[in-house]
Amino acid sequence: MAAVKQYDAYIPGLNALLRDLRGLDKDAQNELRTASTAIADRYMVPAWKSAAQGAGPWSDHIADTVKAKRDRLPAVQIGANRKKAFSGGATVNMVRYPSHAGRVRESIPAAFVATGWMRAAKPAYVGDAVAEWGQAVDRIVDTFNAGPDY
């Protein structure tokens, strides 16, 4: 199954900025990834763990799998494919979306009731995370434009 990407905020010009940031050297790229991971740890992980507590009987299992991803943009990964996370053999990935949306098709057991837990996370972090990420990009670009220290 292909990885699903979800974006929480639309930022005009972001794709062009990310394309331009590819021109930075490896050290600057690593610094951006490190800053993005720290931002995700500070704002996004606590917000998603808190939101996951509203996921019904699966909340603790889902919250335990929330972790920051190392990427140029602050991001989290929710879920894991550990075998038999639940007594019926289901993994957290199998219950993550149905615990939010409920039973959306016949193959999903009737035990899944829509909780909407995923909607609670975004308002808790998006403003602060985007602002701090912008500051990190400015700092890294300024350092890159200053040139090497000889």
Side-chain angles (χ1 to χ4, degrees), residues 40-58:
D41 276 331
R42 190 169 22 268
Y43 298 109
M44 298 174 75
V45 170
W48 279 103
K49 283 186 178 209
S50 176
Q53 293 305 313
W58 304 279

Side-chain angles (χ1 to χ4, degrees), residues 10 14 16 52 62 72 74 76 91 99-100 106 120 137 140 142-143:
Y10 174 74
L14 180 62
I62 293 171
R72 294 184 300 165
V76 294
T91 64
S99 69
H100 164 73
E106 294 299 316
V137 169
I140 292 165
D142 288 346
T143 302

Side-chain angles (χ1 to χ4, degrees), residues 39-129:
I39 292 166
D41 276 331
R42 190 169 22 268
Y43 298 109
M44 298 174 75
V45 170
W48 279 103
K49 283 186 178 209
S50 176
Q53 293 305 313
W58 304 279
S59 60
D60 290 336
H61 291 288
I62 293 171
D64 287 345
T65 66
V66 176
K67 65 180 182 179
K69 287 177 56 174
R70 184 165 167 79
D71 199 356
R72 294 184 300 165
L73 292 172
V76 294
Q77 176 181 330
I78 304 169
N81 276 326
R82 288 185 222 136
K83 299 223 185 272
K84 296 188 180 185
F86 300 99
S87 61
T91 64
V92 172
N93 283 350
M94 295 170 141
V95 300
R96 179 184 58 221
Y97 186 74
S99 69
H100 164 73
R103 188 173 184 207
V104 293
R105 58 179 191 245
E106 294 299 316
S107 62
I108 296 175
F112 287 97
V113 177
T115 61
W117 69 269
M118 290 182 179
R119 283 187 220 102
K122 179 181 172 183
Y125 69 82
V126 76
D128 293 333

Side-chain angles (χ1 to χ4, degrees), residues 16-26 28-29 72 144:
L17 174 63
L18 290 173
R19 220 176 4 259
D20 292 342
L21 291 175
R22 281 191 216 132
L24 298 174
D25 65 6
K26 291 286 185 188
Q29 294 276 352
R72 294 184 300 165
F144 178 76

